[in-house]
Amino acid sequence: QVQLVESGGGLVQTGGSLRISCAASGRFISIKVMGWYRQAPGKQRELVAVVTSDGRPNYVDSVKERFTISRDNAKNTVFLQMNSLKPEDTAVYYCNVIAMFQGVGPLQYWGQGTQVTVSS
């Protein structure tokens, strides 16, 4: 099992910045991928950004040049720095990890979600 504790989020005006983080704990060997997804009201959950254990990021086109994902492997924590926020970034942001366990294939876990609201 993996426990994910998210923090950050909140309300910000258009053009503002927010940073959200997610700390993972549990009896895993390693975390292969850490990332963030988001879900706006009435829409499907979508990938925002992911980062591999060796630090390679990948972003959805709509957040490139505005969001930066990073991770602290020693603390099993992933961060999402969000700059130049737009109202369309408003959503619940979910932490997602793919963890490796002894004798078991990779398993995926989700955080409880943190609300990000961008006012116009």
Side-chain angles (χ1 to χ4, degrees), residues 33-62:
V33 180
M34 303 186 83
W36 293 93
Y37 288 68
R38 67 186 178 187
Q39 188 167 18
K43 294 188 177 182
Q44 288 188 330
R45 191 173 296 188
E46 66 169 352
L47 182 147
V48 177
V50 294
V51 60
T52 59
S53 56
D54 58 356
R56 287 177 291 137
N58 193 23
Y59 301 93
V60 66
D61 286 346
S62 61

Side-chain angles (χ1 to χ4, degrees), residues 44-94:
Q44 288 188 330
R45 191 173 296 188
E46 66 169 352
L47 182 147
V48 177
V50 294
V51 60
T52 59
S53 56
D54 58 356
R56 287 177 291 137
N58 193 23
Y59 301 93
V60 66
D61 286 346
S62 61
V63 307
K64 287 180 179 177
E65 309 301 327
R66 299 189 297 122
F67 291 10
T68 301
I69 190 169
S70 61
R71 62 188 282 176
D72 182 337
N73 288 332
K75 297 181 178 180
N76 295 312
T77 300
V78 62
F79 306 94
L80 186 67
Q81 177 66 42
M82 303 179 287
N83 298 328
S84 302
L85 282 161
K86 305 174 181 180
E88 50 264 43
D89 294 318
T90 296
V92 177
Y93 283 69
Y94 295 92

